[in-house]
Amino acid sequence: MSEPRSGRRSLGERLFGAAPAAPATRGAGPAARPRVPADDVPHARTWMSWPSRSSVWGRRLEGVQEDIALIARTVALFEPVVLCVPDRYSAHQARARCGAGVEVTTEIPTDDLWMRDIAPVFRRDGYGGIEAVGLNFNGWGRKQTHKWDARAARAVADHLGLRFSRADLVGEGGAIETDGDGTVMATESSLVNKNRNRGMSRDEVEAAVLDAYGADRMIWLPGLRGEDITDDHVDVTSRFVRPGVVMVQLPPPDRKDVWARDAREQFAILANATDARGRRLQVIRVDGPDTVRSRSASFVDSYLNFHLVNGAVITAQFGDRLKDETARQTLAAAFPGREVVQLDVDRLMDGGGGIHCSTMHEPLP
């Protein structure tokens, strides 16, 4: 039986990492500015991480592992998947549940599953290659400590043999959305926050984000501090579809909680915003589900926490047939030529995150 959707998020954490690598030497001559591309570019692979700690998940661990395995198997139908695990026992578990189509590696040990936030963001370097940028993950403001996750960004870069550098701010991949064409957006609550960037003004944080992403314009959304472990990551509510176009999920009209007010505020701000090219943003509305199967206050009922892969959009469904189908149709229209695959990953979303939160795409050069 479906339950009314109530709260949202909680969970996770990590430490810091190593010093920046020396710049790679490439051919002489002018180059384009390094830039993090949009999610919809062709991918080399998707990176994921295996949940292994009962100290984090308790009795929910096995169910969350099943959901991560389902996501990994589904993504692997469209592009390669590399799943990071902390040890041989976890590797055996992951291979048994994910199958031969998913590459499992113990070379990049992790503590938990939130790869979007612990992995590097991948940047096209201006010379026809890819480089990796670490966002100095500190466990969403030192709310927990996971030693391996804090090192994951550098470890992924080393595994791939990529030049690695660190951004001049503390943040997470799920906190920043980019259109790949010069515009980024984020909530102030997740980045202009003393638990990440103590002593930095909004202008200083903005300059660091623009430098890391190779962008020219920042759209700030207020967000919510302290209501969930991420301090309100933008990738649950608002996403870029393509340059000049964003998508925002709105709650049912009768919802008056803080998350509902936050979503409506994001919609209003983006509907009046312009991007780096001077375009007035087109905002596509997605209606959230009226009912969900979960009773958890931390449940994330987001269709927009989707993961784009080569040829598909991987998103969630919540058992609300009408709203699930409407969301599927909206995503199909927004991303023509891509199959929309909806998964039941309620156990993962009970933990405060979703499909986008658990994946990180690596673009082709």
Side-chain angles (χ1 to χ4, degrees):
M1 180 176 178
S2 295
E3 294 289 337
R5 187 270 192 218
S6 52
R8 187 172 149 183
R9 321 194 100 176
S10 70
L11 211 61
E13 155 55 18
R14 321 11 185 175
L15 273 167
F16 254 83
T25 302
R26 294 184 181 268
R33 181 184 181 189
R35 174 170 285 174
V36 176
D39 290 17
D40 66 348
V41 299
H43 297 175
R45 59 188 58 81
T46 285
W47 289 87
M48 295 184 66
S49 178
W50 185 249
S52 61
R53 288 189 171 189
S54 57
S55 60
V56 173
W57 290 99
R59 289 179 292 181
R60 296 183 295 170
L61 178 61
E62 185 173 352
V64 172
Q65 288 175 338
E66 290 290 347
D67 283 357
I68 288 297
L70 174 60
I71 295 168
R73 292 195 307 269
T74 303
V75 174
L77 297 174
F78 300 93
E79 66 188 47
V81 176
V82 179
L83 184 67
C84 302
V85 300
D87 50 51
R88 291 183 180 180
Y89 176 73
S90 297
H92 174 74
Q93 280 187 314
R95 290 188 179 106
R97 296 189 184 186
C98 295
V102 173
E103 179 184 346
V104 176
T105 180
T106 57
E107 294 182 13
I108 305 169
T110 52
D111 298 292
D112 206 359
L113 63 88
W114 308 112
M115 204 63 177
R116 180 65 50 175
D117 292 345
I118 67 175
V121 291
F122 295 96
R123 190 166 67 181
R124 287 177 170 163
D125 64 9
Y127 294 94
I130 295 290
E131 60 189 22
V133 180
L135 298 182
N136 302 307
F137 179 69
N138 77 340
W140 306 287
R142 304 188 184 279
K143 296 184 180 79
Q144 292 180 348
T145 301
H146 289 183
K147 66 176 182 178
W148 292 118
D149 288 351
R151 304 168 185 172
R154 180 61 182 264
V156 169
D158 289 348
H159 182 83
L160 293 169
L162 298 180
R163 179 181 183 273
F164 180 76
S165 61
R166 291 194 179 277
D168 292 329
L169 79 155
V170 174
E172 306 88 33
I176 303 166
E177 273 283 302
T178 181
D179 71 349
D181 194 39
T183 308
V184 291
M185 64 178 172
T187 60
E188 291 187 44
S189 56
S190 65
L191 294 179
V192 190
N193 192 320
K194 65 182 180 182
N195 66 19
R196 271 95 155 176
N197 296 298
R198 181 182 293 273
M200 292 179 70
S201 68
R202 192 180 85 164
D203 286 348
E204 289 171 329
V205 173
E206 177 174 316
V209 172
L210 295 179
D211 180 64
Y213 278 72
D216 306 299
R217 175 167 171 72
M218 186 93 185
I219 300 174
W220 285 109
L221 306 165
L224 294 166
R225 284 178 174 81
E227 294 291 337
D228 76 325
I229 199 167
T230 73
D231 295 296
D232 193 11
H233 274 181
V234 70
D235 68 343
V236 167
T237 306
S238 300
R239 302 287 302 275
F240 278 111
V241 174
R242 56 185 173 273
V245 182
V246 295
M247 186 175 280
V248 180
Q249 180 168 312
L250 290 177
D254 60 345
R255 274 192 49 200
K256 309 298 182 185
D257 58 83
V258 293
W259 296 113
R261 294 195 296 270
D262 177 52
R264 294 181 186 116
E265 184 174 38
Q266 291 191 29
F267 186 94
I269 291 171
L270 292 170
N272 289 285
T274 55
D275 68 9
R277 308 296 182 187
R279 293 170 292 222
R280 179 77 169 266
L281 292 181
Q282 174 190 345
V283 183
I284 299 172
R285 171 178 175 153
V286 176
D287 290 323
D290 293 318
T291 59
V292 297
R293 292 173 291 252
S294 174
R295 296 175 182 267
S296 171
S298 61
F299 189 75
V300 179
D301 68 347
S302 175
Y303 295 116
L304 295 199
N305 199 250
F306 57 76
H307 179 46
L308 292 180
V309 296
N310 296 332
V313 184
I314 313 299
T315 189
Q317 55 92 346
F318 302 104
D320 183 330
R321 291 187 179 182
L322 177 59
K323 292 296 181 66
D324 288 350
E325 176 58 21
T326 301
R328 187 197 67 78
Q329 292 177 11
T330 303
L331 287 168
F335 298 103
R338 293 179 190 262
E339 179 182 354
V340 179
V341 181
Q342 292 183 299
L343 305 178
D344 175 356
V345 286
D346 281 4
R347 293 166 293 190
L348 171 64
M349 302 185 95
D350 271 344
I355 295 169
H356 190 252
C357 300
S358 65
T359 55
M360 175 57 86
H361 61 287
E362 179 193 333
L364 287 169

